[in-house]
PDB file of all heavy atoms in Angstrom:
ATOM      1  N   VAL A 198     -20.050 -45.592  -0.681  1.00 93.00           N
ATOM      2  CA  VAL A 198     -21.471 -45.828  -0.970  1.00 93.00           C
ATOM      3  C   VAL A 198     -22.298 -44.708  -0.342  1.00 93.00           C
ATOM      4  O   VAL A 198     -23.180 -44.125  -0.978  1.00 93.00           O
ATOM      5  CB  VAL A 198     -21.925 -47.205  -0.439  1.00 93.00           C
ATOM      6  CG1 VAL A 198     -23.443 -47.316  -0.440  1.00 93.00           C
ATOM      7  CG2 VAL A 198     -21.321 -48.320  -1.270  1.00 93.00           C
ATOM      8  N   GLY A 199     -22.001 -44.360   0.902  1.00 92.00           N
ATOM      9  CA  GLY A 199     -22.699 -43.263   1.571  1.00 92.00           C
ATOM     10  C   GLY A 199     -22.533 -41.950   0.833  1.00 92.00           C
ATOM     11  O   GLY A 199     -23.501 -41.204   0.635  1.00 92.00           O
ATOM     12  N   GLU A 200     -21.329 -41.689   0.376  1.00 92.00           N
ATOM     13  CA  GLU A 200     -21.076 -40.431  -0.347  1.00 92.00           C
ATOM     14  C   GLU A 200     -21.788 -40.390  -1.693  1.00 92.00           C
ATOM     15  O   GLU A 200     -22.240 -39.343  -2.144  1.00 92.00           O
ATOM     16  CB  GLU A 200     -19.564 -40.263  -0.562  1.00 92.00           C
ATOM     17  CG  GLU A 200     -18.812 -39.926   0.730  1.00 92.00           C
ATOM     18  CD  GLU A 200     -17.301 -39.927   0.536  1.00 92.00           C
ATOM     19  OE1 GLU A 200     -16.830 -40.322  -0.550  1.00 92.00           O
ATOM     20  OE2 GLU A 200     -16.606 -39.543   1.487  1.00 92.00           O
ATOM     21  N   PHE A 201     -21.905 -41.550  -2.322  1.00 90.00           N
ATOM     22  CA  PHE A 201     -22.580 -41.634  -3.605  1.00 90.00           C
ATOM     23  C   PHE A 201     -24.037 -41.214  -3.493  1.00 90.00           C
ATOM     24  O   PHE A 201     -24.594 -40.595  -4.372  1.00 90.00           O
ATOM     25  CB  PHE A 201     -22.521 -43.072  -4.128  1.00 90.00           C
ATOM     26  CG  PHE A 201     -21.573 -43.240  -5.255  1.00 90.00           C
ATOM     27  CD1 PHE A 201     -20.207 -43.085  -5.040  1.00 90.00           C
ATOM     28  CD2 PHE A 201     -22.011 -43.536  -6.530  1.00 90.00           C
ATOM     29  CE1 PHE A 201     -19.317 -43.226  -6.081  1.00 90.00           C
ATOM     30  CE2 PHE A 201     -21.125 -43.676  -7.576  1.00 90.00           C
ATOM     31  CZ  PHE A 201     -19.784 -43.532  -7.353  1.00 90.00           C
ATOM     32  N   VAL A 202     -24.659 -41.599  -2.386  1.00 89.00           N
ATOM     33  CA  VAL A 202     -26.089 -41.371  -2.228  1.00 89.00           C
ATOM     34  C   VAL A 202     -26.386 -39.894  -1.995  1.00 89.00           C
ATOM     35  O   VAL A 202     -27.369 -39.358  -2.484  1.00 89.00           O
ATOM     36  CB  VAL A 202     -26.640 -42.232  -1.069  1.00 89.00           C
ATOM     37  CG1 VAL A 202     -28.091 -41.896  -0.792  1.00 89.00           C
ATOM     38  CG2 VAL A 202     -26.494 -43.689  -1.426  1.00 89.00           C
ATOM     39  N   GLY A 203     -25.532 -39.253  -1.273  1.00 85.00           N
ATOM     40  CA  GLY A 203     -25.770 -37.829  -1.044  1.00 85.00           C
ATOM     41  C   GLY A 203     -24.658 -37.237  -0.223  1.00 85.00           C
ATOM     42  O   GLY A 203     -24.513 -37.565   0.947  1.00 85.00           O
ATOM     43  N   ALA A 204     -23.843 -36.391  -0.865  1.00 83.00           N
ATOM     44  CA  ALA A 204     -22.758 -35.760  -0.126  1.00 83.00           C
ATOM     45  C   ALA A 204     -22.253 -34.581  -0.925  1.00 83.00           C
ATOM     46  O   ALA A 204     -22.482 -34.489  -2.141  1.00 83.00           O
ATOM     47  CB  ALA A 204     -21.626 -36.751   0.117  1.00 83.00           C
ATOM     48  N   ASP A 205     -21.585 -33.647  -0.275  1.00 89.00           N
ATOM     49  CA  ASP A 205     -20.986 -32.555  -1.020  1.00 89.00           C
ATOM     50  C   ASP A 205     -19.473 -32.517  -0.826  1.00 89.00           C
ATOM     51  O   ASP A 205     -18.813 -31.561  -1.168  1.00 89.00           O
ATOM     52  CB  ASP A 205     -21.623 -31.214  -0.633  1.00 89.00           C
ATOM     53  CG  ASP A 205     -21.639 -31.008   0.857  1.00 89.00           C
ATOM     54  OD1 ASP A 205     -21.005 -31.817   1.566  1.00 89.00           O
ATOM     55  OD2 ASP A 205     -22.280 -30.047   1.324  1.00 89.00           O
ATOM     56  N   LYS A 206     -18.967 -33.590  -0.229  1.00 92.00           N
ATOM     57  CA  LYS A 206     -17.514 -33.722  -0.133  1.00 92.00           C
ATOM     58  C   LYS A 206     -17.111 -35.183   0.035  1.00 92.00           C
ATOM     59  O   LYS A 206     -17.955 -36.032   0.302  1.00 92.00           O
ATOM     60  CB  LYS A 206     -16.961 -32.869   1.013  1.00 92.00           C
ATOM     61  CG  LYS A 206     -17.687 -33.002   2.348  1.00 92.00           C
ATOM     62  CD  LYS A 206     -17.128 -31.953   3.302  1.00 92.00           C
ATOM     63  CE  LYS A 206     -17.587 -32.144   4.728  1.00 92.00           C
ATOM     64  NZ  LYS A 206     -18.993 -31.805   4.977  1.00 92.00           N
ATOM     65  N   GLY A 207     -15.822 -35.439  -0.171  1.00 93.00           N
ATOM     66  CA  GLY A 207     -15.328 -36.808  -0.082  1.00 93.00           C
ATOM     67  C   GLY A 207     -14.971 -37.346  -1.454  1.00 93.00           C
ATOM     68  O   GLY A 207     -15.386 -36.794  -2.478  1.00 93.00           O
ATOM     69  N   LEU A 208     -14.204 -38.433  -1.487  1.00 94.00           N
ATOM     70  CA  LEU A 208     -13.734 -38.986  -2.760  1.00 94.00           C
ATOM     71  C   LEU A 208     -14.877 -39.574  -3.575  1.00 94.00           C
ATOM     72  O   LEU A 208     -14.874 -39.520  -4.797  1.00 94.00           O
ATOM     73  CB  LEU A 208     -12.662 -40.053  -2.500  1.00 94.00           C
ATOM     74  CG  LEU A 208     -11.320 -39.497  -2.000  1.00 94.00           C
ATOM     75  CD1 LEU A 208     -10.416 -40.627  -1.513  1.00 94.00           C
ATOM     76  CD2 LEU A 208     -10.624 -38.711  -3.096  1.00 94.00           C
ATOM     77  N   GLY A 209     -15.883 -40.127  -2.885  1.00 93.00           N
ATOM     78  CA  GLY A 209     -17.052 -40.658  -3.576  1.00 93.00           C
ATOM     79  C   GLY A 209     -17.802 -39.539  -4.280  1.00 93.00           C
ATOM     80  O   GLY A 209     -18.271 -39.692  -5.410  1.00 93.00           O
ATOM     81  N   PHE A 210     -17.892 -38.410  -3.585  1.00 94.00           N
ATOM     82  CA  PHE A 210     -18.505 -37.222  -4.181  1.00 94.00           C
ATOM     83  C   PHE A 210     -17.714 -36.785  -5.404  1.00 94.00           C
ATOM     84  O   PHE A 210     -18.276 -36.438  -6.449  1.00 94.00           O
ATOM     85  CB  PHE A 210     -18.566 -36.112  -3.127  1.00 94.00           C
ATOM     86  CG  PHE A 210     -18.787 -34.741  -3.685  1.00 94.00           C
ATOM     87  CD1 PHE A 210     -20.039 -34.354  -4.158  1.00 94.00           C
ATOM     88  CD2 PHE A 210     -17.746 -33.820  -3.746  1.00 94.00           C
ATOM     89  CE1 PHE A 210     -20.240 -33.086  -4.675  1.00 94.00           C
ATOM     90  CE2 PHE A 210     -17.949 -32.559  -4.258  1.00 94.00           C
ATOM     91  CZ  PHE A 210     -19.187 -32.176  -4.728  1.00 94.00           C
ATOM     92  N   LEU A 211     -16.380 -36.821  -5.309  1.00 94.00           N
ATOM     93  CA  LEU A 211     -15.505 -36.410  -6.407  1.00 94.00           C
ATOM     94  C   LEU A 211     -15.706 -37.302  -7.640  1.00 94.00           C
ATOM     95  O   LEU A 211     -15.736 -36.824  -8.772  1.00 94.00           O
ATOM     96  CB  LEU A 211     -14.045 -36.494  -5.938  1.00 94.00           C
ATOM     97  CG  LEU A 211     -13.093 -35.413  -6.443  1.00 94.00           C
ATOM     98  CD1 LEU A 211     -13.616 -34.028  -6.141  1.00 94.00           C
ATOM     99  CD2 LEU A 211     -11.707 -35.602  -5.839  1.00 94.00           C
ATOM    100  N   VAL A 212     -15.896 -38.600  -7.394  1.00 94.00           N
ATOM    101  CA  VAL A 212     -16.181 -39.528  -8.492  1.00 94.00           C
ATOM    102  C   VAL A 212     -17.481 -39.111  -9.173  1.00 94.00           C
ATOM    103  O   VAL A 212     -17.570 -39.044 -10.398  1.00 94.00           O
ATOM    104  CB  VAL A 212     -16.309 -40.974  -7.963  1.00 94.00           C
ATOM    105  CG1 VAL A 212     -16.818 -41.916  -9.063  1.00 94.00           C
ATOM    106  CG2 VAL A 212     -14.966 -41.488  -7.448  1.00 94.00           C
TER     107      VAL A 212
END
Side-chain angles (χ1 to χ4, degrees):
Chain A
V198 167
E200 288 173 353
F201 253 67
V202 174
D205 51 9
K206 48 188 190 288
L208 289 169
F210 163 74
L211 217 54
V212 171

